[in-house]
Amino acid sequence: QVQLVESGGGLVQAGGSLRLSCAASGRTFSSYGMGWFRQAPGKEREVVATINRSGGNAYYANSVKGRFTISRDNAKNTVYLQMNSLKPEDTAVYYCAGEGVRGTYAYWGQGTQVTVSS
């Protein structure tokens, strides 16, 4: 089993920055890929960014490409999401997730609220 705990959310003005962290415990952290997802009120959950086990390959949703950066520190069992040039439409609950043995996202954190004011 894997336990994930997010932190770093908050209220920020448009154009500002936040860095989200997700601390993992349980399985060997470097053995599974990680992702950040978000869900805004009234909308479906969507993928924001993903990163492979080594951290050498990342994927970004078009809506955040060039503004957000996902990274991981396998020595610290932590994945990060650096969010720059934030927009009001980035307002959502952000979740980190870990891949299970079948390659799907089987483990989820409790979520952290990000609110961007205009």
Side-chain angles (χ1 to χ4, degrees), residues 96-109:
C96 70
E99 287 183 338
V101 294
R102 297 179 185 273
T104 58
Y105 287 95
Y107 310 109
W108 294 84

